[in-house]
């Protein structure tokens, strides 16, 4: 199967502080892949670097075979990123926000319209899309942003803690949407500090701690290897805490 | 280009918020309201034709005083009862002042002795308009003095008029600006120019401050909401993001400048009231002779200088916005910029830059925001080359800051730069 993402020997520094240490992993097409680890492990830093938000200085990243150092612009068109704890523009309505973002990805008006209408559908917010984003609850905002992320039908969707801070119902709905993405031909790279939800969501994951990947595999493989009942136990075993 | 317009539209939509527009509209109404009030009061004062006069002398001379006022189209109401009662009455009738001619007035005047007239000023506030009343009292007294002086001049058989006696020297005032000159009182020229130019620096200052707050706020909000990261991961160049933000803030700032100008114009019309028309015709020619007219060139140059000033402020504010930890710290982060704008504002408004030591003078010239303020003065004297150099200087400073901003935006610094201590 073709690889949609290859990360090779990625290091990332904030000044002198090394937040990411020699990280490598691959994602296949149609795969849901998760980076799991505690707060401050370096998950967001890795995702931002892949999303071209932070610069790539040490290591290599390939998206759909294209070198991110050389083809960043091309890659941005086939990739989409949902930042952690993100909001929408306060003075724009849900519709205006979706339409604005569609405009940035589309080459012409028809394409913009198609992306926008797909986004409206995906959000499930219906009439609420006419209201300003500042009136939205956390759950509604997350749905709007998730719809924005996937309405362009990216080949790789990067979701940073997509369910964090949401209540049970909203988390469940978001997870359902994500599960469906793979079926629609998208690959998903997501992060979470909630190890239990990842078991249900992802086919493959890396456990990351203090900037390093400790182990990679399917949830079942990892549990078997460490003879654990759940991923939390696996994490405690690999991190030696 | 199409994507740039999409960005620009969104930036403008985000900037024009009710929190920004409502104070602006209120501002226009306040300006207009104050202006309206002032012009009404000015007109009322000027038109208070009714003069109250208490005549305790009741002689031919006191009668003559009343007549000379009536000859000047003033309606004189004469009293002779007790002063306390008249004061009471004056207060209930909202009379601002009245005169009293004491007993023995005629006796003194007839023996060529100076005599007293008593003025009662009834004050209930200390506003600017109150000061206009003094002028009216003075003009009433001038009328009385003049007529009585003519009377005296007749008695001692003078061949010159009392005015000539008072002013043996005739004042011939010239004003020189560069190589032009005109016979006109300095106060007339200054009055006209100040009317034209005082409001420009005020608006300038407001607009620059407002625009920088806006752009710093816009950048900090995007960072806080992470919409910024979303933008950076989308297929548009970071330079476009920078320019769209700057241009949107520039457009909105100019729009607001327009509003402020409308408001301030009402205000100015209010305070100047009828005064311009009074002095107008006579000095108009002198002003033209001096070259003090604000033609298209003047306004274009001033406008350019102003726009460049705004752009410089915007570029700096953008960088400051990046350094803000959160929207709440915007105020703190932009304070240094406000101070840099305030310094030339005060210095140029209240001091004569030309008279300062060269070091201070050039320090002021180095501050890019000095130039729009200076331009507001230099258009009067048609020192266009100074204004043009100023515009070029501001353009260079602007480009430097835009390049710095673009550099920061296209590196990780946009996430790591912070003003002050790290958390
Ligand atoms: N802008 C920044 N400047 C300096 N250090 C940072 C910055 N962002 C993150 N870090 C540090 O990098 C490490 C990894 O952070 P992050 O990638 O956000 O972790 P995670 O997403 O796993 O919680 C943390 O120690 C964090 O403090
Ligand atoms: Mg994170």
């Amino acid at each position: 199967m073709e690889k949609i993402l290859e990360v090779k020997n990625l290091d990332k520094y904030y000044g002198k502080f090394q937040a990411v240490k020699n990280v490598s992993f691959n994602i296949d097409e149609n795969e849901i892949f998760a980076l799991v680890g505690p707060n401050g492990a370096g998950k967001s830093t890795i995702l931002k670097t892949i999303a071209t938000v932070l610069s790539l200085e040490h290591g290599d990243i390939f998206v759909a075979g294209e070198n991110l150092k050389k083809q960043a612009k091309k890659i941005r068109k086939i990739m989409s990123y949902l930042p952690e704890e993100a909001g929408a523009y306060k003075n724009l309505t849900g519709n205006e926000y979706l339409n604005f973002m569609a405009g940035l990805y589309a080459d012409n008006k028809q394409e913009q319209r198609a992306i926008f209408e797909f986004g409206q559908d995906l959000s499930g917010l219906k009439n609420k899309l006419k209201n300003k984003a500042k009136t939205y609850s956390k759950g509604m905002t997350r749905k709007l942003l998730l719809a924005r992320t996937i309405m362009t039908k990216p080949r790789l969707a990067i979701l940073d803690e997509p369910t964090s801070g949401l209540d049970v119902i909203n988390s469940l709905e978001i997870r359902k949407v994500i599960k469906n993405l793979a079926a629609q031909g998208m690959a998903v790279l997501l992060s979470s500090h909630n190890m239990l939800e990842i078991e249900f969501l992802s086919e493959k994951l890396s456990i990351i701690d203090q900037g390093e990947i400790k182990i990679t595999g399917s949830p079942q493989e990892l549990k078997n290897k460490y003879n654990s009942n759940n991923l939390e136990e696996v994490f405690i075993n690999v991190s030696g805490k | 280009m199409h994507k740039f317009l999409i960005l620009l539209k969104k930036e403008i939509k985000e900037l024009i918020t009710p929190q920004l527009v409502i104070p602006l509209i209120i501002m226009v109404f306040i300006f207009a309201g104050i202006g309206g009030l002032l012009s009404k009061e000015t007109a009322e004062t000027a038109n208070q034709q009714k003069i109250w006069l208490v005549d305790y002398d009741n002689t031919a001379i006191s009668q003559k005083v009343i007549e000379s006022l009536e000859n000047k189209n003033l309606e004189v109401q004469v009293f002779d009862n007790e002063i306390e009662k008249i004061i009471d009455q004056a207060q209930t009738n909202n009379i601002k002042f009245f005169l009293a001619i004491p007993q023995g007035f005629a006796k003194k005047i007839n023996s060529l002795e100076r005599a007293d007239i008593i003025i009662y000023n009834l004050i209930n506030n200390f506003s600017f308009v109150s000061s206009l009343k003094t002028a009216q009292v003075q003009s009433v007294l001038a009328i009385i003095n003049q007529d009585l002086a003519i009377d005296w001049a007749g008695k001692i058989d003078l061949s010159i008029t009392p005015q000539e006696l008072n002013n043996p020297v005739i004042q011939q005032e010239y004003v020189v600006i560069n190589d032009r000159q005109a016979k006109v009182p300095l106060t007339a020229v200054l009055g006209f120019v100040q009317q034209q130019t005082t409001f420009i620096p005020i608006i300038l200052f407001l607009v620059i401050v407002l625009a920088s707050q806006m752009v710093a706020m816009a950048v900090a909000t995007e960072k806080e909401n992470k919409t910024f990261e979303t933008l950076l991961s989308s297929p548009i160049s970071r330079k476009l993001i920078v320019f769209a933000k700057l241009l949107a803030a520039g457009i909105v700032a100019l729009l607001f400048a327009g509003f402020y100008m409308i408001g301030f114009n009402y205000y100015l019309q209010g305070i100047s009231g009828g005064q311009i028309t009074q002095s107008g015709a006579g000095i108009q020619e002198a002003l033209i002779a001096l070259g003090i007219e604000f033609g298209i060139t003047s306004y274009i140059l001033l406008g350019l200088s102003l726009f460049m000033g705004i752009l410089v402020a915007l570029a700096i504010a953008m960088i400051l916005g990046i350094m803000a930890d959160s929207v709440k710290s915007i105020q703190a982060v932009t304070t240094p910029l406000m101070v840099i704008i305030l310094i030339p504002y005060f210095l140029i408004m209240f001091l004569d830059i030309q008279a300062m030591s060269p070091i201070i003078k050039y320090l002021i010239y180095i501050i890019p925001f000095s130039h729009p303020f200076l331009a507001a003065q230099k258009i009067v004297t048609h020192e266009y080359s100074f204004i043009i150099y100023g515009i070029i200087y501001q353009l260079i400073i602007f480009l430097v800051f835009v390049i710095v901003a673009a550099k920061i935006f296209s590196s990780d610094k946009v996430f790591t730069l912070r003003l002050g201590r790290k958390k």
Side-chain angles (χ1 to χ4, degrees):
Chain A
M1 205 181 255
E2 205 199 323
K3 301 233 177 312
I4 188 70
L5 176 70
E6 294 166 80
V7 177
K8 292 181 180 165
N9 309 106
L10 177 68
D11 288 337
K12 186 72 201 174
Y13 294 83
Y14 291 111
K16 288 211 171 72
F17 173 73
Q18 188 170 7
V20 176
K21 295 167 191 159
N22 197 29
V23 161
S24 302
F25 62 94
N26 300 321
I27 302 180
D28 291 334
E29 292 214 67
N30 295 359
E31 187 174 49
I32 300 182
F33 185 99
L35 288 176
V36 190
N39 292 324
K43 304 180 296 292
S44 296
T45 305
I46 295 171
L47 298 195
K48 279 185 210 170
T49 310
I50 299 168
T52 73
V53 171
L54 290 176
S55 60
L56 169 59
E57 285 146 354
H58 312 280
D60 284 296
I61 294 173
F62 296 89
V63 178
E66 303 278 0
N67 188 339
L68 190 134
K69 275 180 182 156
K70 291 172 187 143
Q71 300 286 351
K73 196 163 182 201
K74 207 165 161 189
I75 289 174
R76 286 193 190 115
K77 288 211 90 169
I78 57 167
M79 191 170 66
S80 194
Y81 164 58
L82 174 61
E84 189 177 2
E85 295 285 326
Y89 293 104
K90 298 222 157 69
N91 279 312
L92 301 192
T93 65
N95 275 326
E96 284 170 332
Y97 175 68
L98 290 177
N99 198 24
F100 161 66
M101 290 305 296
L104 297 185
Y105 283 85
D107 290 325
N108 53 53
K109 285 254 185 256
Q110 293 95 290
E111 200 186 334
Q112 182 178 358
R113 175 120 219 120
I115 294 176
F116 167 56
E117 281 168 3
F118 185 44
Q120 286 182 310
D121 259 9
L122 284 169
S123 75
L125 292 173
K126 307 209 165 76
N127 277 334
K128 302 257 169 58
L129 284 173
K130 288 184 191 135
N131 300 341
K132 292 216 164 159
K134 65 179 161 201
T135 65
Y136 289 10
S137 69
K138 210 168 179 179
M140 287 162 73
T141 305
R142 197 66 59 86
K143 281 178 197 162
L144 178 73
L145 294 191
L146 188 62
R148 185 275 298 163
T149 311
I150 54 188
M151 70 183 177
T152 52
K153 298 187 178 141
R155 291 180 63 191
L156 173 64
I158 302 170
L159 313 175
D160 198 351
E161 310 254 5
T163 59
S164 82
L166 297 186
D167 59 34
V168 187
I169 309 278
N170 277 310
S171 292
L172 209 71
E173 283 179 348
I174 299 275
R175 279 203 285 271
K176 240 191 245 162
V177 176
I178 296 172
K179 268 276 185 198
N180 276 330
L181 292 183
Q184 291 171 32
M186 290 179 215
V188 179
L189 165 59
L190 59 88
S191 76
S192 179
H193 64 267
N194 181 343
M195 313 208 179
L196 299 179
E197 86 168 3
I198 289 305
E199 275 194 67
F200 304 104
L201 203 48
S202 69
E203 293 140 11
K204 204 169 146 195
L205 61 101
S206 286
I207 289 182
I208 180 167
D209 190 29
Q210 294 179 4
E212 284 176 271
I213 288 188
K214 299 292 183 186
I215 190 165
T216 303
S218 73
Q220 200 53 49
E221 279 168 19
L222 299 189
K223 281 191 288 188
N224 289 344
K225 188 166 176 188
Y226 287 90
N227 200 10
S228 309
N229 291 324
N230 58 48
L231 286 177
E232 252 166 21
E233 284 180 31
V234 174
F235 175 77
I236 288 165
N237 274 319
V238 297
S239 68
K241 279 176 185 169
Chain B
M1 195 60 216
H2 170 63
K3 299 222 160 128
F4 183 70
L5 289 181
I6 292 177
L7 269 177
L8 186 66
K9 205 170 110 189
K10 167 235 134 194
E11 293 293 347
I12 291 176
K13 263 192 196 154
E14 274 284 293
L15 284 178
I16 300 185
T17 64
Q19 296 96 303
L20 223 61
V21 173
I22 291 169
L24 185 79
I25 292 172
I26 292 174
M27 189 78 179
V28 173
F29 276 105
I30 288 177
F31 270 143
I34 294 174
L37 265 179
L38 282 176
S39 72
K40 197 169 143 244
E41 278 209 46
T42 316
E44 262 177 16
T45 316
N47 294 337
Q48 190 193 316
Q49 304 289 347
K50 193 183 277 181
I51 304 291
W52 282 21
L53 192 140
V54 192
D55 188 359
Y56 291 133
D57 198 38
N58 202 9
T59 55
I61 293 289
S62 67
Q63 204 51 47
K64 191 177 168 60
V65 168
I66 293 164
E67 271 162 29
S68 40
L69 291 177
E70 281 170 345
N71 287 341
K72 296 283 177 188
N73 284 329
L74 294 169
E75 187 188 322
V76 183
Q77 195 162 341
V78 184
F79 300 82
D80 59 0
N81 47 345
E82 291 123 67
I83 199 75
E84 284 76 19
K85 287 205 175 123
I86 299 169
I87 289 176
D88 272 355
Q89 247 177 301
Q91 273 165 344
T92 46
N93 285 297
N94 203 19
I95 292 291
K96 309 288 184 199
F97 71 93
F98 65 86
L99 312 177
I101 300 177
Q103 249 178 11
F105 182 79
K107 207 167 169 188
K108 282 191 173 171
I109 294 291
N110 282 334
S111 52
L112 296 182
E113 240 180 280
R114 298 182 74 194
D116 295 331
I117 279 192
I118 300 155
I119 299 150
Y120 288 87
N121 286 299
L122 293 89
I123 290 187
N124 49 20
N125 68 71
F126 289 90
S127 73
F128 160 75
V129 180
S130 302
S131 67
L132 292 175
K133 276 142 206 162
T134 7
Q136 212 197 351
V137 176
Q138 290 315 317
S139 65
V140 168
L141 284 181
I143 294 168
I144 298 172
N145 267 326
Q146 188 180 336
D147 279 13
L148 292 178
I150 290 171
D151 211 44
W152 275 4
K155 278 199 179 127
I156 53 175
D157 198 18
L158 275 179
S159 61
I160 52 173
T161 67
Q163 281 98 324
E164 287 166 346
L165 184 66
N166 253 339
N167 303 298
V169 173
I170 301 171
Q171 191 174 333
Q172 302 276 10
E173 214 174 338
Y174 282 83
V175 170
V176 181
I177 297 178
N178 295 333
D179 55 349
R180 292 154 178 267
Q181 52 166 295
K183 184 166 173 257
V184 61
L186 177 62
T187 46
V189 175
L190 285 185
F192 177 79
V193 171
Q194 272 162 8
Q195 262 166 9
Q196 298 288 315
T197 55
T198 42
F199 77 104
I200 295 172
I202 294 173
I203 288 165
L204 205 62
F205 177 73
L206 285 173
V207 168
I208 291 180
V209 168
L210 196 80
S212 0
Q213 297 269 9
M214 262 181 349
V215 80
M217 183 75 92
V219 173
T221 312
E222 285 233 23
K223 270 185 80 177
E224 201 172 89
N225 287 341
K226 308 282 174 77
T227 50
F228 193 57
E229 290 180 23
T230 309
L231 272 189
L232 295 188
S233 70
S234 72
I236 35 162
S237 90
R238 296 187 178 201
K239 284 192 188 74
L240 280 194
I241 300 175
V242 174
F243 287 136
K245 273 212 176 341
L246 287 177
L247 189 60
I251 290 173
V252 174
L254 280 185
L255 217 77
F256 283 18
F259 266 103
Y260 276 114
M261 283 206 195
I262 294 170
F264 214 84
N265 208 23
Y266 278 124
Y267 172 73
L268 274 186
Q269 276 173 10
I271 34 177
S272 52
Q275 284 164 21
I276 294 181
T277 40
Q278 269 174 35
S279 59
I283 64 161
Q284 200 64 37
E285 287 161 33
L287 290 172
I288 291 169
L290 286 171
I292 303 180
E293 69 237 276
F294 298 104
I296 303 274
T297 333
S298 308
Y299 279 114
I300 289 178
L301 283 179
L302 184 64
L304 267 178
S305 185
L306 195 157
F307 190 59
M308 288 314 305
I310 293 174
L311 287 185
V312 173
L314 290 180
I316 297 175
M318 186 151 211
I319 296 170
L320 293 174
I322 292 171
M323 295 187 194
D325 265 334
S326 66
V327 174
K328 285 191 203 86
S329 55
I330 281 298
Q331 211 69 39
V333 166
T334 51
T335 307
L337 179 63
M338 300 304 129
V339 172
I340 296 175
I341 298 170
L342 264 175
I343 291 170
Y345 173 67
F346 276 116
L347 289 181
I348 294 166
M349 283 279 277
F350 300 113
L351 297 173
D352 181 5
I353 303 291
Q354 293 305 324
M356 286 186 211
S357 79
I359 297 175
I360 295 179
K361 202 159 90 178
Y362 286 106
L363 276 180
I364 291 173
Y365 290 169
I366 285 175
I367 300 175
F369 308 112
S370 300
H371 292 273
F373 297 117
L374 287 167
Q377 298 186 342
K378 300 283 185 190
I379 52 167
V380 175
T381 48
H382 290 211
E383 287 172 72
Y384 290 153
S385 55
F386 183 93
I387 303 177
I388 291 167
Y389 287 136
I391 292 171
I392 294 170
Y393 174 68
Q394 291 183 89
L395 181 67
I396 293 168
I397 298 286
F398 170 65
L399 290 177
V400 168
F401 278 109
V402 166
I403 290 168
V404 172
K407 272 252 156 62
I408 294 176
F409 266 72
S410 50
S411 75
D412 291 353
K413 287 211 173 64
V414 77
F415 295 106
T416 52
L417 262 190
R418 284 213 177 90
L419 207 68
R421 85 198 142 83
K422 299 199 162 142
K423 37 172 187 177

